[in-house]
Amino acid sequence: MSTPVWITATPPATHGELHIGHLAGPYVAADVLTRYLRADGEDVRFTTGTADHASSVEVRALRHHRKPEEVAEGYRAAITADWLRSGVEFDHIVRPRRDKGYGRWVQDLFAKLYAQGVIAPRTRLLPYCEPCDRWLYGAHATGTCPHCGAASDGGMCHECARPNDGGDLISARCALCGTPAVARRCRRPYVPLEPFRDTLADYWAQAGLPPRLAALCESLVEDGLPDIAVGHPGEWGLEVPIEAFAGQRIDGCFEAAAMHLFGHDVNGPLPRRAIHFCGFGHAFCHAVLLPVLLLAQDIKLPQDFNVNESYVVEEGVQEGNVWALDLLTEYGSDTLRRHVLQARPLGRRTVFQRERLAAARRELDENWNSWLSRLFSAVREECGGLAPQALPGGTGLQILERRLHRGVDDLREAYGPDAFDPRRAVAVLDEMVRLVADFGHVNAHERCRPSAYCRHLPALAAQLAVASALSAWARPVMPEGADRLAAALRVEPGRPVDWQALTGPLPGTRLAPPSGPVFGF
């Protein structure tokens, strides 16, 4: 790991397509931070993977009488295509079943940790379905979380983010046939966390965890750090490379944590900073298991966490109306990205409401695109489509510049990793557009003054400068429209979010406005 900033997002399980809740969670937000830092001159590596060996993949395959590898491969392709269409651009996506050397690398890490005693054998109760003749682990088991009382799968509760050992899942049933499970003794490999109590506590104290994640970690310490099963008897996934556990597979949570390290040289220079984006339900793998894997190798990596809650679908909304592909096709990436950033569930769950997505489109059409349309039309009518031969000016320009200057400071804070708040960034951008649109309306009347020939041209030049700046300032949120705007103005895309971006096209430059809307469609 030789890059100064390393950003990761939770590897999604390939048992289904992405829906709007996934985009509202880690992926778009992590992409926003990556784009901002990269434009600001930072060297950034943005990575994820796909959890092809998750137990939910096998369960879906069994339900639909398909092979797990077919399910994983099909949904992996769909997920990566949705990322691309939504403008989420990873530097590397780990493909467990395709990346050369991946399986052996994970198994070697597992064997190394077992030899060091970090992984140890334990015999515990595990649910078993007699009609299916199958051990119930992960998504194969359903029941009630022993910690919070919510409905939960085996292994991890996505409500309280605390692990269960399968055997302590209350009223465990088979997810396939619904038969109540029987508890049987099963010898499996575990990672005992208690030996890492002090090092984990120090790590969490230095990480500056979000409050809910801090509460989870402190409660784990207070209750006694558990032993975490990292293997189970099964047929899907990477084989446990220990002879004593022949026929067992490496657990998906262990693999999801280890996956982030694949392709990095853990013996090389560490990144200056690592920033993990995840939903709270997956926080255990990022905030507990991944640090243990690093600490076990004497690696202390400074890490930050951006944790979101669930973005749930309101009752009455048909499931087919929330898939990322369908919404991207209907609304485009600009509209969908700004919507999920505005609705990003921080500290509490938020509910998807389609009218709010439609409102995001109206904001772009009625304010952003209408102002740009008027501006391009005025340049075409008054200057033959060329940037005017005038310096920026106009009534109220100094006031506009002062407000934009404050807005840039707000944007940099909202985009930055220390106070990351993309919802605030969207609000600041909207305010900037309203300010410059009002400036344009006021100064448009200069054309009606008989004594002021060409007096309106400096106001057009000022608006073109703001439009140029917005192609940089808005790019972390809406890269598709921002790049379209940069191309229309003949300015360089991907410039830093700073005051220097407020430079319009050179006088006489022929503009190339798009035939349709600049942002969204």
Side-chain angles (χ1 to χ4, degrees):
M1 293 181 289
S2 59
T3 55
V5 179
W6 177 35
I7 298 176
T8 71
T10 300
T14 49
H15 63 260
E17 299 178 39
L18 291 184
H19 56 70
I20 192 171
H22 294 116
L23 295 182
Y27 304 117
V28 172
D31 182 76
V32 167
L33 179 59
T34 300
R35 289 178 182 275
Y36 167 73
L37 291 175
R38 191 163 284 154
D40 215 38
E42 291 277 7
D43 189 8
V44 181
R45 182 167 175 81
F46 182 27
T47 66
T48 190
T50 54
D52 295 354
H53 296 138
S55 57
S56 56
V57 174
E58 184 181 21
V59 169
R60 187 176 185 98
L62 291 169
R63 283 174 174 165
H64 295 275
H65 307 289
R66 299 176 63 191
K67 295 180 179 179
E69 52 266 33
E70 294 175 349
V71 172
E73 180 62 24
Y75 284 119
R76 184 196 61 78
I79 288 169
T80 53
D82 288 344
W83 278 332
L84 187 62
R85 293 190 62 172
S86 61
V88 177
E89 297 182 354
F90 292 99
D91 295 304
H92 183 59
I93 300 172
V94 177
R95 302 170 301 172
R97 301 189 63 77
R98 287 198 171 196
D99 285 7
K100 185 177 180 180
Y102 170 81
R104 173 53 57 192
W105 180 88
V106 174
Q107 290 175 321
D108 287 347
L109 175 63
F110 195 101
K112 176 183 177 182
L113 295 175
Y114 185 79
Q116 293 174 341
V118 176
I119 297 176
R122 296 285 189 273
T123 300
R124 303 281 169 77
L125 295 175
L126 185 66
Y128 188 87
C129 178
E130 293 180 334
C132 295
D133 191 21
R134 185 183 301 278
W135 290 101
L136 303 182
Y137 57 90
H140 287 278
T142 63
T144 301
C145 173
H147 306 291
C148 71
S152 175
D153 292 342
M156 196 68 60
C157 175
H158 293 297
E159 181 66 31
C160 70
R162 294 189 61 154
N164 65 73
D165 197 32
D168 54 2
L169 192 65
I170 300 171
S171 302
R173 306 178 72 89
C174 176
L176 291 172
C177 71
T179 301
V182 295
R184 292 187 178 181
R185 290 169 59 82
C186 181
R187 190 167 180 79
R188 294 187 286 164
Y190 281 75
V191 172
L193 296 180
E194 192 61 29
F196 293 92
R197 167 186 285 270
D198 293 337
T199 50
L200 276 175
D202 291 342
Y203 167 83
W204 292 329
Q206 296 175 12
L209 303 177
R212 193 180 181 198
L213 184 53
L216 167 66
C217 293
E218 288 181 12
S219 65
L220 288 172
V221 171
E222 185 177 80
D223 295 346
L225 290 170
D227 297 347
I228 302 300
V230 292
H232 50 253
E235 300 175 354
W236 176 242
L238 298 174
E239 293 184 4
V240 173
I242 310 299
E243 186 176 351
F245 303 106
Q248 297 199 20
R249 307 288 168 155
I250 296 176
D251 185 75
C253 186
F254 176 93
E255 188 180 343
M259 184 182 296
H260 290 303
L261 305 177
F262 178 65
H264 295 287
D265 179 9
V266 295
N267 297 314
L270 293 176
R272 176 175 61 83
R273 191 172 193 174
I275 305 171
H276 298 297
F277 284 77
C278 64
F280 181 74
H282 295 92
F284 185 89
C285 289
H286 286 269
V288 182
L289 200 51
L290 177 57
V292 166
L293 299 185
L294 291 168
L295 292 168
Q297 302 174 75
D298 295 322
I299 299 173
K300 293 184 178 180
L301 179 63
Q303 294 176 283
D304 298 303
F305 296 89
N306 276 278
V307 180
N308 62 271
E309 301 290 340
S310 300
Y311 187 43
V312 298
V313 178
E314 64 180 350
E315 293 183 8
V317 175
Q318 296 181 355
E319 191 177 54
N321 292 331
V322 298
W323 297 121
L325 175 60
D326 296 334
L327 294 174
L328 285 165
T329 301
E330 182 176 356
Y331 288 92
S333 68
D334 289 337
T335 301
L336 196 61
R337 282 173 68 104
R338 64 166 287 137
H339 167 71
V340 298
L341 293 172
Q342 285 181 302
R344 189 162 182 258
L346 289 176
R348 77 278 186 255
R349 288 186 171 186
T350 54
V351 178
F352 170 62
Q353 295 179 349
R354 198 176 182 90
E355 60 266 24
R356 294 182 181 175
L357 178 57
R361 169 184 276 177
R362 287 195 301 272
E363 177 67 30
L364 290 178
D365 287 341
E366 296 175 4
N367 292 301
W368 291 64
N369 290 325
S370 64
W371 163 61
L372 289 170
S373 178
R374 291 193 304 272
L375 176 59
F376 286 132
S377 294
V379 171
R380 183 178 63 251
E381 294 169 5
E382 302 295 329
C383 309
L386 304 178
Q389 299 283 347
L391 294 174
T395 300
L397 179 60
Q398 291 183 341
I399 296 174
L400 174 64
E401 287 181 338
R402 286 200 300 269
R403 291 173 177 173
L404 291 176
H405 207 298
R406 290 196 295 269
V408 170
D409 290 341
D410 283 350
L411 269 183
R412 289 187 62 82
E413 181 181 68
Y415 281 145
D418 295 328
F420 184 67
D421 186 359
R423 181 185 301 177
R424 172 62 180 158
V426 172
V428 172
L429 290 168
D430 286 343
E431 177 63 17
M432 288 175 159
V433 170
R434 291 189 180 94
L435 288 171
V436 70
D438 288 345
F439 173 85
H441 281 302
V442 168
N443 284 276
H445 295 288
E446 293 285 2
R447 287 179 296 179
C448 303
R449 295 174 59 178
S451 62
Y453 179 70
C454 291
R455 188 165 176 169
H456 60 289
L457 296 185
L460 292 182
Q463 291 177 77
L464 287 173
V466 177
S468 174
L470 281 170
S471 73
W473 297 344
R475 192 173 189 271
V477 172
M478 296 178 288
E480 185 177 7
D483 286 352
R484 195 179 293 133
L485 179 56
L489 297 171
R490 313 284 194 182
V491 298
E492 182 183 357
R495 291 167 293 156
V497 177
D498 58 22
W499 184 245
Q500 283 66 41
L502 194 67
T503 303
L506 294 174
T509 300
R510 180 166 295 282
L511 307 186
S515 58
V518 176
F519 290 91
F521 56 81

